Each structure stands twice: as C-alpha cells, then as structure tokens.
Amino acid sequence: MISGKYGKKAVLAAAAAAVAAAPLIAAPAHAEGTPEATVEVIATGLANPRDITYTWDGSLLVAESGAGRPGCAVGEKCVGATGGIYKVKGGYKGRVVSGLASVAVGAAPGTPVIATGPVQAVPDPAGGYTVLSGLGGTNESRAALGAGSNTLGTLFRTRDGKVLADLVDHETRLNPDGGDVHANPWAFVRSGPDYLFTDAGSNTVVRAKRDGTTSTAYVWPKAEVNGQSVEGVPTGIARDAWTGTVYVADMPGMRPGAARIFRIEPGRQPELLVTGLTNLIDLEVTPDGNLLALSYTRGFGPTGPTPGYLAKIDVDTRQVTEINTGDQLTTPTGLEVDPWGRTYVTVNSTGGDGKLVRVRH
C-alpha cells in the first residue's frame, strides 16, 4: 500500500528543507466520557480503496488501487488492469470505471494482495475522470513492468488516457531532495490553473501546470523526534476554496506523536500549524474552514497496524481534539467531508475487502 525510500512497505519517505515554525499544540485533547462515534457501512468489496471525492451532483467517488494482475506468481511484481473508480449516488453503488493500471506483488492463496494504482479521482468537466495513480519507483522500474504501466505514477484522464503530469519522471530527472530516487504520488488538489501533489516517496510537494510541466514547490522537512531526525513523509493535502490556503499533513518516520500539519497561505512559505498527532494519511477542510485529519494507525502490534483515528483541528486556536472512534477505523486511508460536514472514510484498505463508511460524530 505505502512505500518509501528505505524499503519498508508501511513507511513513506520524506527529507529536509527549511520551513517557518510557529507556536503549536503538542497533543490532541480528548474529553473523558465522549460518546463513541457511529460507523455506518456504505459500500463493501472495494479493492485496495484509497481517497474519496464528493462531487457537485451528490456522488461519492472512491479510487480503487485494484489487485495487480490475477494469477501473478507469488513474489513476482505484475501489472494488471484491475484498478477502478467506485461510485455511490443515492441508491446506486458500483464501478463506473474499470480496467485501470494496478501493480502488485503476487501473494500466496488466502493472503491479501496489496496493490498500487489509482489513489484519487475527480470528475473531468469534458467527460470521464482525472485520476492520480501511485507507484513506488522510477522511470526505469516503471518501464521494467512492461505493457500497461505508463499511467502508473502519473495524473491522467480516463476519456483518452492522456497523461497530464508525470510525477515519477519529475523525481527521476530532478531528485529534488538529493536522496534515493523514488517517487510515490499520494494526493493532489487544484490550485488555480495548476495542480499541487504530495509525493510521499520523493519527499516533495510538486506543482504541475496545464501544459504538463512540473516543478518542485517544496522539499519536505525532516522532523526532530526525541533528538533524532526522521523523514517527514507528506501525505494528505487539502485546499480551502475561500482563502486559497493549502494544508499538508505528514507522518514522520511513523513515530507516535510526530505527525504534523503545515499551513501554506497564498504567496507565503509553509508554516507549522500543529503537531503531536500520529501517522496522518489524509486531510480535509471542513465547511467551517477548520480541518479534519485521518490517522492510518496509532502503531503496530503483533498482527499489524492498530486502528487509526480522526482529529479535528481549529486553524485559529490550533487546538486539536480527537474524535472518539474506538477501534472502528481499521487501516483507514481516504477521507472526505461533504458540504454539510458529513464524514466519509475508506477502511480495510489493504486487500479486496475494503469498505466505504460514514462516521457520525
């Protein structure tokens, strides 16, 4: 699901750059006796589900990274056409796009297939969808996957397959952080006529223009954790449509309490907004202009990652308040908040039994 420069499947990489720091809240508050949120299952059977998009017509779109190539030999990395886009609108539930590129290592029977493919999808005004695909790698490793791999690690449109921005090529050519060459595009927002991407493998926020040219907007900073410098790992990105302010979340070294959120106001450098969270994987602006952040996990136990959680952030006071979701958010990855403040999350995001849920809090 997640890949990073130093090879651990569950760890994304990031590197250092100077950013402006500001006073911050060190840890989330959690009121004793807060009722546990209710989690309502909306859709099941999703294949490695990732981000969620609410559209103007009331639809929810879920990007599915797929399952690689069926029949791929155990231990071999194969590309298949199993990625897709799942839609929920009213009583309708189903895939509206299938056959998108998906890459995975063949798994033994009965073992979940952890795939990389579509990670975010939005409607294309001219028809179809604009899709961001992940890929942990380089131009060379992508080419080695063979036929069907050309959209991996890119932003492309489904109506004609045109690549709008190539994040893997950007990292391979430029390597902005000077470390290992490794791209893993994670999320994007529109910023005026441009796109802004978080790349959790290349340690950057990348800007792409309409003509497909890319530039490095920011090289992401390392974090200091108990006197040790750890990689920052930018993941979630959100933009306030009213102010133009962009927010970026990270998951430094997957260390508990080290995750941060930065605020980037138009024309200014990133400013540290809050820290003290853990393994942030997605971020959304709420209708009142504040933030909702999703944690992938609090940590790892003998059977894998423990459940994640949601936190509310007041962007003015910098107060962080954890939402009581109990142990209901298992390997959550995607987050969306609709115009009425309703919260949606993808859970069980590794394998073919993924779910889209609504969290009532």
Side-chain angles (χ1 to χ4, degrees), residues 283-316:
L283 190 65
E284 289 294 334
V285 176
T286 59
D288 61 3
N290 291 308
L291 296 174
L292 193 64
L294 176 66
S295 164
Y296 177 69
T297 180
R298 295 182 190 274
F300 293 84
T303 60
T306 60
Y309 66 90
L310 287 166
K312 296 185 291 186
I313 299 94
D314 186 308
V315 300
D316 294 323

Side-chain angles (χ1 to χ4, degrees), residues 25 71 84 121 140 164 196 208 215 244 248 263 283 303 312 322 344:
I25 300 299
E140 292 74 22
L164 305 176
L196 284 176
S215 60
V248 178
R263 173 167 53 196
L283 190 65
T303 60
K312 296 185 291 186
E322 184 180 328
Y344 302 91

